[in-house]
Amino acid sequence: MSSGSTPYLLLQTSSGNRYLPLVGKNNWTVGRNADSHFVIPDPWISRHHAMVQRTDNGEFYLIDLGSRNGTFVNGRRVNVPVTLQHKDHIAFGQTEMVFHNLAQQESIPGRNPNHENQDSPTSILHVRRLMSVLVVDIRDFTVLARQLDDKTLSNLIGDWFRQAGDILRYSGSWVDKYIGDAVMAIWFHGESAIAKEEVVQIFQAISDLNKMTTDLTSHYPLPFPLRIGAGINTGYAMVGNTGSGDRPDYTAIGDTVNTAFRLESCTKQIQRDVALGETTYGYLDSIPTAQQRFKQYTVHLKGYEIPTITYASSFEDLDNFLLDKLLWDNQVF
């Protein structure tokens, strides 16, 4: 391959150099999954590990997609999208690459290779991705806030959000946002397909969140047990920076996200703990007992004129479903 002005990632292997050209589109995914643009068979790399995006002004950004082992640029972990510069060293798991962009070096002299301001992107990034959105809400939070003193309430909520963040990041969530008494998390999928194991991974995170919430109750003098509800929706949404250059805010926006919030709210109406969007449930139809564990409901979501189909369960049924899946995988059924 001739270097020329074509930007690329250089991967050095035992069999020689591998050139990964960054041309022909505006974003490229890196991961173990076969639907990634650049498939890297490294067990330390997540199925959907990271993404490189080219903006309209010709800059390249590196975005970690909630990988378990992280993405690093010049030894520094990527927490928000960062601008790539010529000869930056990138590490995905135990795989290292070098970013090459001679045109950038020639057209923008004097760039700082140490990325002193890499956490303050100057361009707005937006890309349409297939994702699952989880919204988890603390039940009766307003009542709880009235009955607890400020210090106890602050410690309780601080503990809950901290432990929730640990659970979500461990499960591969790309981002978690704290909104009042709720948390939103996002999982990226392939371009057009989702393996049912990816949905099951989200269910396991919900189960862990519920167990953590129950355990937390015993550590504080609460007037009633702490409880949560959850809504999950799967579909396409735009994801990117909705903040300013010095205050970046990376999130997803669109109907897929809005519906996830509405599904969480509807769990109170139908007196269930977890509500799934119809698309999310569709990835489970091949798993035995799914119909037994998740019941179909027709609900009227706020802001939606047409009734919505949802599939809902209790936390007990969700845990039983996870057990069913484990037994099925081991061919006990």
Side-chain angles (χ1 to χ4, degrees):
M1 171 180 173
S2 173
S3 59
S5 61
T6 300
Y8 61 92
L9 296 174
L10 175 62
L11 170 62
Q12 294 180 325
T13 68
S14 58
S15 57
N17 291 338
R18 180 182 172 190
Y19 295 89
L20 309 176
L22 301 171
V23 294
K25 52 178 73 243
N26 62 12
N27 64 84
W28 302 263
T29 52
V30 178
R32 284 188 293 108
N33 244 37
D35 59 6
S36 297
H37 295 107
F38 303 135
V39 180
I40 310 296
D42 177 347
W44 291 84
I45 288 181
S46 299
R47 289 192 299 267
H48 303 106
H49 195 101
M51 177 173 64
V52 176
Q53 182 177 354
R54 183 185 185 278
T55 61
D56 291 340
N57 63 6
E59 291 188 307
F60 286 83
Y61 280 80
L62 180 64
I63 306 168
D64 184 82
L65 299 180
S67 64
R68 179 166 296 183
N69 294 309
T71 300
F72 297 80
V73 175
N74 300 328
R76 184 176 180 181
R77 186 160 187 164
V78 172
N79 295 313
V80 300
V82 299
T83 310
L84 289 175
Q85 299 181 27
H86 182 58
K87 292 192 175 180
D88 272 346
H89 288 258
I90 306 170
F92 307 106
Q94 293 187 338
T95 299
E96 294 188 0
M97 299 184 189
V98 180
F99 173 72
H100 288 265
N101 188 2
L102 290 175
Q104 177 196 63
Q105 182 189 39
E106 294 165 359
S107 61
I108 313 177
R111 283 208 168 206
N112 181 3
N114 295 321
H115 290 254
E116 292 179 356
N117 297 315
Q118 69 175 5
D119 287 338
S120 297
T122 57
S123 297
I124 296 178
L125 302 175
H126 290 289
V127 63
R128 186 171 184 264
R129 291 297 304 270
L130 178 61
M131 66 182 70
S132 288
V133 180
L134 167 67
V135 176
V136 179
D137 173 77
I138 299 176
R139 291 282 191 260
D140 301 318
F141 180 78
T142 302
V143 177
L144 186 68
R146 290 200 196 104
Q147 299 186 34
L148 290 180
D149 62 85
D150 291 344
K151 183 177 180 180
T152 301
L153 181 65
S154 177
N155 290 337
L156 169 67
I157 298 305
D159 275 353
W160 189 87
F161 278 131
R162 177 179 53 79
Q163 294 188 50
D166 290 343
I167 291 170
L168 293 170
R169 283 185 289 275
Y170 181 79
S171 69
S173 166
W174 173 68
V175 64
D176 49 83
K177 295 181 69 67
Y178 307 104
I179 308 165
D181 57 349
V183 61
M184 180 184 80
I186 300 168
W187 285 262
F188 284 126
H189 303 299
E191 290 193 351
S192 59
I194 304 174
K196 60 178 176 291
E197 286 76 14
E198 295 179 62
V199 179
V200 172
Q201 182 182 35
I202 300 173
F203 288 172
Q204 184 61 60
I206 297 172
S207 176
D208 291 342
L209 287 169
N210 179 55
K211 291 182 176 67
M212 176 273 290
T213 303
T214 301
D215 291 342
L216 204 58
T217 296
S218 62
H219 291 82
Y220 289 90
L222 303 182
F224 51 82
L226 198 64
R227 296 175 55 246
I228 59 173
I232 315 169
N233 196 36
T234 302
Y236 287 91
M238 297 298 293
V239 62
N241 178 17
T242 60
S244 60
D246 60 340
R247 294 178 65 99
D249 183 17
Y250 297 93
T251 190
I253 55 176
D255 186 64
T256 296
V257 179
N258 295 339
T259 301
F261 277 91
R262 299 309 185 197
L263 286 171
E264 187 284 318
S265 295
C266 87
T267 58
K268 304 166 189 174
Q269 304 169 18
I270 60 179
Q271 297 184 332
R272 299 280 84 186
D273 297 317
V274 181
L276 314 181
E278 197 167 7
T279 302
T280 306
Y281 178 79
Y283 291 103
L284 307 176
D285 58 5
S286 63
I287 301 178
T289 75
Q291 294 184 357
Q292 175 185 348
R293 304 303 184 190
F294 296 92
K295 303 301 183 183
Q296 180 178 318
Y297 295 84
T298 300
V299 294
H300 293 270
L301 303 182
K302 184 178 179 180
Y304 292 77
E305 296 180 359
I306 302 175
T308 300
I309 299 295
T310 185
Y311 295 83
S313 75
S314 64
F315 286 124
E316 181 181 1
D317 280 333
L318 179 68
D319 288 340
N320 286 332
F321 174 78
L322 291 170
L323 179 60
D324 294 342
K325 176 66 168 54
L326 179 63
L327 295 175
W328 173 257
D329 288 344
N330 288 280
Q331 299 183 352
V332 174
F333 284 96

